[in-house]
Amino acid sequence: MAEKWVFLFEEVEEAEKYVGGDWEGVRSLLGGKGANLAEMTRIGAPVPPGFTVTTEACLAYLSRGEDVAGAVLEQEREAMNRVEELTGKKFGDPQNPLLVSCRSGGKFSMPGMMDTVLNIGLNDETAQGMIALTGNERFVYDLYRRLVQMFGSVVLDLDDELFEHALDALKNRVGAKADTDLTAEHWKELTEEFKQITLSKEGCAFPQDPYEQLKLATEAVFKSWNGKRAIDYRNAAGISHDLGTGVSIQTMIFGNMGWNSGTGVTFTRDPATGERKLYGDYLLNAQGEDVVAGIRNTKPIHELEQDLPEAYKQFQEICDKLEHHYREMQDVEFTIENEKLWMLQTRDGKRTARATVKIAVDMANEGLIDRKEAVKRVKPADVDALMHPMFDPDAKSAAAVEGKLLSKGVNASPGAAVGVAAFDADLAEEWGKAGKDVIMVRPFTKPDDVHGMLASKGILTSEGGATSHAAVVARQFGVPCVCGASEVSIDGAARQFEANGQIIKEGDWVSIDGTTGEVFVGEIPTVAPEFEEQTDLLILLSWADEIRRLQVWANADYPADAERARSYGAQGIGLCRTEHMFFEEVRLPIVQRMILAKNDEDRQSALDELLPMQRSDFEGIFQSMDDLPVIIRLIDPPLHEFLPDHDEVLKTVLTKRIKQETDGLAEAEDLLAAIEGLHESNPMMGLRGVRLSIIMPGLVKMQVRAIFEAACNKAKEGVVVKPEVMIPLAGHVNELKVIQPILEDVANAVMEEKGITVEYKFGTMIEIPRAALTADEIAGIAQFFSFGTNDLTQMTFGYSRDDAEARFLLTYVEQEVLPENPFQSLDQDGVGQLMQIAVEKGRGIRPELEVGICGEHGGDPSSIAFCHKLGLNYVSCSPYRVPIARLAAAQAALK
Amino acid sequence: MAEKWVFLFEEVEEAEKYVGGDWEGVRSLLGGKGANLAEMTRIGAPVPPGFTVTTEACLAYLSRGEDVAGAVLEQEREAMNRVEELTGKKFGDPQNPLLVSCRSGGKFSMPGMMDTVLNIGLNDETAQGMIALTGNERFVYDLYRRLVQMFGSVVLDLDDELFEHALDALKNRVGAKADTDLTAEHWKELTEEFKQITLSKEGCAFPQDPYEQLKLATEAVFKSWNGKRAIDYRNAAGISHDLGTGVSIQTMIFGNMGWNSGTGVTFTRDPATGERKLYGDYLLNAQGEDVVAGIRNTKPIHELEQDLPEAYKQFQEICDKLEHHYREMQDVEFTIENEKLWMLQTRDGKRTARATVKIAVDMANEGLIDRKEAVKRVKPADVDALMHPMFDPDAKSAAAVEGKLLSKGVNASPGAAVGVAAFDADLAEEWGKAGKDVIMVRPFTKPDDVHGMLASKGILTSEGGATSHAAVVARQFGVPCVCGASEVSIDGAARQFEANGQIIKEGDWVSIDGTTGEVFVGEIPTVAPEFEEQTDLLILLSWADEIRRLQVWANADYPADAERARSYGAQGIGLCRTEHMFFEEVRLPIVQRMILAKNDEDRQSALDELLPMQRSDFEGIFQSMDDLPVIIRLIDPPLHEFLPDHDEVLKTVLTKRIKQETDGLAEAEDLLAAIEGLHESNPMMGLRGVRLSIIMPGLVKMQVRAIFEAACNKAKEGVVVKPEVMIPLAGHVNELKVIQPILEDVANAVMEEKGITVEYKFGTMIEIPRAALTADEIAGIAQFFSFGTNDLTQMTFGYSRDDAEARFLLTYVEQEVLPENPFQSLDQDGVGQLMQIAVEKGRGIRPELEVGICGEHGGDPSSIAFCHKLGLNYVSCSPYRVPIARLAAAQAALK
């Protein structure tokens, strides 16, 4: 025996030794479930005895097959001997039979994605022994038919419907409404029928040998690692395909042994809000899958105190112990067999973004973890989710008054979602990929539905509770979800649902509020959530601020944006785009006059009109950012962007010519000539940015005058202004050598006129590859650098973003030609290499050089981590992403 | 005395010691003229005694002024004492006066660009002494009036016309036709008049103190370094402005002492053809400037043998000695005073491209220099000139028959030029800058005219010989020139000339043949010179081939280009652009059908039609390049380039709609929709190159099939084919990982079908900055790299070439924002840095990686030198530049 492939739960120390003492290694080896069962065993929780087949065995089996299966079985037999010792029962012994479950469990939880077989060890003989022991024939044949059914569907890959139909047919025949109406004889009959289904469909008799059952079930779990569901899930969740699953074999405990038995699933804190209280469901006289599938309506966990007070008390204590042990909120499964509590599983609980933040903050305040750990535990995407829109409260009230409220279900995953109803996962996926906003509507969801759930804006089910499949998956992926909306009556065949007397057809608009559980017909407008009211988030971010080195600035063009950014924690404005102001209705005609001016005088007169407008914009921004730096970028885009569309003007000219209308023809022809005169084949790489400033300095001189007039005016009012003038698109140091002194002269002239001096800087964007490559020269002139990673990515890849995204970039990402869209997440290998060159060369010349990033990447967490590593001073992003960036910057510092 | 600012000619060893023993240093210190006078003195040539004021003194004077002038004068006085000793005369001594000249001379020759004053030392007293000594009053007053005139114009900056007018007035008054008709009394009178002019215009009497004359003349020469003419010339010739000029003070020798005196300028070999014979002019009884200015018609040098046989013999010997000493063709000035020969100057002679090559080859064959030195001496621009067009001999004969031959002058600078006549330098410059081809027509040229000469295609003068100003400058800058075309009668006021009975007005077309001296009216067609007939060039290039490491390949799209390239010495095809073939008339409609195809079947059918056409192109190229590598680039441009112009189609559609013409409207609308569907805002960075191949692989599969079918077919005929398939525009290694295997499969399938295997490679262009930055990854797949520096320059600078050159790039170069157009000469700091990264990373992974360059820079000498330094395998350029590249590559290896 070359390798140890099986570890008893009690062998946790051996497993640790086997992997070299590392808990992550134990999780990799045994899978999360197996490792936690072993760990729970170690800390003395009541865990039914069992053992785990390792992920190494799984991977070996998947590559080498039958030989491995045989070797694994040998080790399973040995382990089973110890389980028999511990339980006093014996696997396959007709007198005192041991039954086991066989469950999958990878390193990372993939709920419901892989297979499980229960009640292994039952056969015609041991069933008789069980009956003799329990005196409950009905119970035993229910177990037996379940084993045959799961074996058929999981191991033999038969359609589960075959078994469900047979059950329904029997119920019809005997006039039973529910399973509970069926007698022992019925279950026995059904067990035989299930065996026949197995034999007739697969030509394979249900194996009577318990070890044969165990072997085949183990192999089936191994194989389920590579099932389509599992692969889709891992792709969506970003889990590696190379890990393999562990297989945990565990003594069966029966929650369906009568009304002093039961089973449940519980979170140690509320996974929706994070509140510190047990949150979950249980059913008396039921097996675990009854709870998870959401088929029978469950009872909330606190009612167990009435039903089985002793067990509840012990359960509470164990939950507390587990949380203290794992220092994380736990998601546990338990079963009570004849009033005795057994813990079947524990794992870190999935939760909403809101709960993630609250639990992290609470646990830090409780002393369970430190603040750094709290900051680490919240994902930037969680903060993003908290910045997401919610329904406008007034609009929601109005909708309710208008009778648009259809139902109220379980608020299973928070957030507001609006979309058209789709009644199956495939359609939801198809519509979602086509760009439609979709709400997927199902009675309940199964692992097969995940692809549709991921493509939907929201999920609505009529059945199941807060721990149902739909709820768990939705929370994990941040998709709003309302579960168990029992007034919603779905007619899958007619592809519609009825609720509150209204019929909603496929494609009709629906709005769901995952935070409250409400379901509306129609589209309800959404609003941004109040950042200031999210107390836990504010605390967490204040801790993040203590940790991070990287500053977070914001891109803001208007005073309102700047104010919002500041309220979200921005420490400066990294990019104020002066030309955005030019597009405003009253200004555009003046800008056009400036462009079309036939002489310097006309041009100057237009510029003179623009000056006070720009000045007043800047005054507002300086006011908002009192005592913080504001980087203002001089005009960047090519001038043609401010003129009317060429084809439209051409059309006007041709029409007038052909119809011989002279009225306005000359003007239209002039305009057309001007537009054609400004035409460029690749305007992105043409006359724009600093090039435009050098060819036509009047415009930027006006802008610099406006900046410094505004700065001086505000400074006189006592505002502390810190203007930084940014010259875009420099590629050669000489461009700065030419233009920067001209602009500094303007600045100094204004300060002299105003009789006041303000602190200021002149600097440049680094967005042309050549600027990065020659950053040492550039830094000789520029007092700061700001990476314009949008353009830098365009030039470094040779992609025009608009063209690339429309024509090939999405195909590239889909076909994995590119790992991701480089305009969303910084290409560290290529663009990042240029950034590193620029930082090193720039700081080599000017060690105190202020370097930041103002491209879209400034709000992307992995890009932020890279910027931290590069030693930038700040990232600048859209105001809404400032909180995310604050967290990401802290996490980068903790790495 | 802190610094030594004056060196006697005999102090050449001291000068060497002063600069540390280096001849270049001596030239820097004394200027070319001063250094050569000293050197000639050392080797025993008869040099009139004198001394040189250093360039260091000049620079010191230009920055510090008067103090320096005084200190310099002190040292000049001391040196003068020694000159007095050597000559037995005394500066300012009325009894035996010493007269000196004062001439400029920078490190690099700038003929006529700076100032000269002759006959210094004459005053009212010494003039009397000279008369007593020579007994020739007329001669002495001619000298004196010349001194006053030069002093006035050079030192006092008076308009020379003042003096010329006075001379003309006198001649009119006394009825003299030529200067020779004037008597001693006339010259005396003129001398007094000139003194009055000086006094009246400048309020400054002509100084009678000889040392005051010397001091002011020296300062005037210093200042002339920064005169406009000199600065323009240095800008054009690429000479640094920081060098300063030396000032050589030398005993006057008089070629105008009578008919056994004379003066001349001679080249030791023919500066037009390179033939080994003395080539020059002289005048008896004349001063040097009479020869150079081209005012009097000179005699060819070999006639001196009859006039003054002894002096001629000595002159021949000295010329030979100088050539052996300098190991270069010399341009010498000499004067004979009473049959005694004096050498006044020697310097390396300027020459035509043709002469440069012949002299280099001859001197190597004569053993004067070695072959490496011969290769070093020819500039790539010289080879370029030899590849330039000449007149079509048949067309020229026909023109002569038709009476279009206007005149035959001196063939002063070879080459054919066609342009419109312009009668002054300013107009020539204006028209030339506006893009017109101009022939500048002048009686003779002066240093002030250089800016117009540089802007002209050719130069025509009616006066002056092979060593006139026009001839020297034209040869240096490779501008065709015909001098002294005496039948050409220019009427500057009427802005026309008359010749052969025809009137040619400003703006009329003229053709000049600088190789033969012929002048034609009208435009004569030109033809390419026969490369194979240029024996000296072929020899020189064969020597270059022995020296260079870098291979030279050519860019060729058609078999005829490939053949020409091979005949010019190309060792492979570095770039065959497959899509150029698509633009041919018969093919374009098929290409358009392929692009517009609505389904795969139609597209494939168009591709099937293109296949045999492409195959046959490739067969021709493989045939031409038997046994040499051929790199074929797969389709690169975006598809819209093959469709009609958008605006034209839009106009058609709009016109038809407005006029309600239904005929052809639907087709036009379809076409418009297709064109708009392919529209990109920045097509250069859009769907093209490998991106197109990945999205639409059918097209490149057809191309690869055509390549390999052609290769196999030719291989079967016994041709050794070496196809290399080049994938353009890769930016990420995955692009190659996706497409290269698909294409290799096609290649292998074809070879299997054909039953023959050929050697081949697959590789990529490096033209996207990211490809250079990640060249290690790229080299894992690509078997060769070829730098596409056109695109790489576009992306690295963020310049769209078309837009940049039209809108700002030329302004950038003019205003020195950029040192040069980066599309013409490789930007080594930026683009070159990326190339270096790519070579290092690529070879790091694949040490044998073949790396070349196929952008336009492959034919630019300084870029070739950079490619050599980077260790590239080859440069690939247009066939016509292959010879230039062969030379440049050898010179790079010699550096």
Side-chain angles (χ1 to χ4, degrees), chain A residues 1-6 18 56 64 71-72 74-75:
Chain A
M1 199 179 75
E3 287 166 282
K4 183 159 171 66
W5 275 334
V6 170
Y18 182 85
E56 290 179 357
R64 283 149 53 198
V72 165
E74 281 312 300
Q75 298 190 30

Side-chain angles (χ1 to χ4, degrees), chain A residues 115-167:
Chain A
D115 291 320
T116 294
V117 182
L118 303 178
N119 307 332
I120 292 173
L122 269 184
N123 57 20
D124 295 351
E125 281 189 0
T126 55
Q128 294 312 318
M130 281 289 285
I131 293 168
L133 281 172
T134 61
N136 190 338
E137 189 178 8
R138 184 183 178 285
F139 165 70
V140 173
Y141 277 110
D142 186 12
L143 296 187
Y144 198 5
R145 70 91 193 176
R146 283 178 196 259
L147 170 61
V148 179
Q149 177 173 359
M150 281 192 261
F151 199 88
S153 64
V154 170
V155 178
L156 305 179
D157 206 22
L158 296 175
D159 188 346
D160 199 44
E161 296 281 304
L162 293 171
F163 301 102
E164 292 294 334
H165 281 164
L167 171 59

Side-chain angles (χ1 to χ4, degrees), chain A residues 627-687:
Chain A
D627 206 23
L628 292 179
V630 176
I631 296 187
I632 296 168
R633 182 180 70 182
L634 302 178
I635 187 166
D636 184 51
L639 293 181
H640 77 87
E641 288 193 10
F642 301 100
L643 294 182
D645 178 61
H646 166 265
D647 288 5
E648 288 306 312
V649 180
L650 175 64
K651 199 168 159 184
T652 307
V653 168
L654 285 181
T655 307
K656 284 183 189 291
R657 280 189 195 151
I658 291 167
K659 295 193 172 168
Q660 307 198 328
E661 294 170 359
T662 53
D663 191 32
L665 174 60
E667 289 85 340
E669 283 176 337
D670 275 2
L671 182 58
L672 182 62
I675 294 172
E676 287 179 348
L678 288 175
H679 172 78
E680 292 182 311
S681 23
N682 297 285
M684 217 268 298
M685 310 176 82
L687 184 58

Side-chain angles (χ1 to χ4, degrees), chain A residues 646-647 650-651 654-655 658-659 677-687 690-691 694-695 732 734-735 738 768-770 773-774 777 794-800 802-803 807-808 811-812 815-819 827 829-830 833-834 837 841, chain B residues 646-647 650-651 654-655 658-659 676-687 690-691 694-695 732 734-735 738 768-770 773-774 777 794-800 802-803 807-808 811-812 815-819 827 829-830 833-834 841:
Chain A
H646 166 265
D647 288 5
L650 175 64
K651 199 168 159 184
L654 285 181
T655 307
I658 291 167
K659 295 193 172 168
L678 288 175
H679 172 78
E680 292 182 311
S681 23
N682 297 285
M684 217 268 298
M685 310 176 82
L687 184 58
V690 67
R691 305 164 192 171
I694 287 174
I695 301 295
H732 195 291
N734 287 357
E735 292 175 309
V738 167
I768 297 281
R770 198 181 183 286
L773 291 164
T774 61
E777 295 176 5
Q794 293 200 96
M795 312 284 185
T796 306
F797 274 87
Y799 292 166
S800 161
D802 291 343
D803 301 320
R807 302 199 159 271
F808 62 87
T811 308
Y812 264 33
Q815 296 186 0
E816 294 180 21
V817 179
L818 292 180
D827 163 50
D829 290 346
Q833 201 180 136
L834 283 177
I837 290 171
K841 290 195 168 183
Chain B
H646 166 264
D647 285 7
L650 175 63
K651 273 183 200 162
L654 289 178
T655 306
I658 296 165
K659 292 189 174 172
E676 286 180 345
L678 289 175
H679 172 80
E680 293 182 310
S681 24
N682 298 285
M684 219 266 300
M685 310 177 82
L687 184 57
V690 66
R691 303 164 194 171
I694 288 174
I695 301 295
H732 194 290
N734 288 357
E735 292 175 309
V738 167
I768 297 282
R770 197 181 184 285
L773 292 164
T774 61
E777 295 175 6
Q794 293 201 94
M795 313 284 183
T796 306
F797 275 88
Y799 292 166
S800 161
D802 292 342
D803 300 321
R807 301 201 160 269
F808 62 85
T811 308
Y812 264 34
Q815 296 186 0
E816 294 180 23
V817 179
L818 293 181
D827 163 50
D829 289 348
Q833 199 180 138
L834 283 177
K841 290 196 168 183

Side-chain angles (χ1 to χ4, degrees), chain B residues 345-363:
Chain B
Q345 177 167 318
T346 191
R347 58 186 172 190
D348 292 350
K350 298 190 191 302
R351 67 207 79 175
T352 63
R354 187 176 151 205
T356 302
V357 173
K358 181 168 173 54
I359 292 171
V361 169
D362 285 353
M363 285 193 169

Side-chain angles (χ1 to χ4, degrees), chain B residues 25 46 83 86 124 158 266 331 366 595 620 623 644 678 753 799 814:
Chain B
V83 174
L86 287 168
D124 295 349
L158 297 175
T266 288
D331 166 2
E366 290 160 21
I595 296 170
Q623 181 75 55
L678 289 175
E753 286 164 27
Y799 292 166
E814 258 174 47

Side-chain angles (χ1 to χ4, degrees), chain A residues 697-776:
Chain A
L699 177 54
V700 281
K701 280 161 80 174
M702 178 280 281
Q703 293 192 315
V704 170
R705 173 162 281 277
I707 291 167
F708 281 85
E709 286 184 357
C712 292
N713 290 350
K714 281 290 146 185
K716 285 183 174 175
E717 293 172 14
V719 177
V720 179
V721 294
K722 297 180 176 176
E724 304 191 7
V725 179
M726 180 153 72
I727 297 169
L729 219 71
H732 195 291
V733 64
N734 287 357
E735 292 175 309
L736 299 182
K737 281 188 184 164
V738 167
I739 199 73
Q740 195 166 309
I742 295 174
L743 300 179
E744 291 203 54
D745 285 351
V746 174
N748 288 317
V750 172
M751 290 189 289
E752 194 157 325
E753 286 165 27
K754 298 280 182 180
I756 190 166
T757 302
V758 300
E759 194 189 317
Y760 71 90
K761 282 184 190 167
F762 274 82
T764 187
M765 303 272 280
I766 301 288
E767 51 186 338
I768 297 281
R770 198 181 183 286
L773 291 164
T774 61
D776 42 356

